[in-house]
Amino acid sequence: MAEQRSQGIETSKPITIGNSVWIGANATICGSVTIGDHAVIGARAVVLHDIPENTNVVGVPAKEIGKITDKDIIPSGEILF
């Protein structure tokens, strides 16, 4: 496999990650997956399928635990760090 990669022969499909996505520590995102804008991937989650925008996922395999709504967004002028 390493020899194929060094020759430019890819063996996995591309991953597409949207804007403002948070990916937790040690999360695994498998090939051919698209993660929508503003999604949150929990630590150690294993993402095997597309994740819609504004979605929180956790677990193995990753499952939706909720949607991110306007009430969850902190205006930039109110962020304290």
Side-chain angles (χ1 to χ4, degrees):
M1 284 267 288
E3 184 178 309
Q4 287 180 340
R5 284 193 302 272
S6 69
Q7 295 174 9
I9 302 170
E10 297 296 326
T11 58
S12 64
K13 295 181 180 178
I15 297 168
T16 303
I17 299 175
N19 295 312
S20 300
V21 172
W22 287 13
I23 300 175
N26 297 313
T28 301
I29 302 170
C30 296
S32 189
V33 167
T34 297
I35 299 174
D37 293 343
H38 313 289
V40 177
I41 311 301
R44 296 190 179 199
V46 177
V47 180
L48 302 173
H49 55 83
D50 292 349
I51 305 298
E53 64 181 24
N54 300 315
T55 302
N56 290 320
V57 298
V58 297
V60 180
K63 295 189 191 259
E64 180 180 329
I65 61 166
K67 293 286 188 184
I68 299 168
T69 65
D70 288 341
K71 70 179 181 120
D72 300 314
I73 298 170
I74 301 170
S76 60
E78 295 179 21
I79 297 174
L80 301 176
F81 53 90

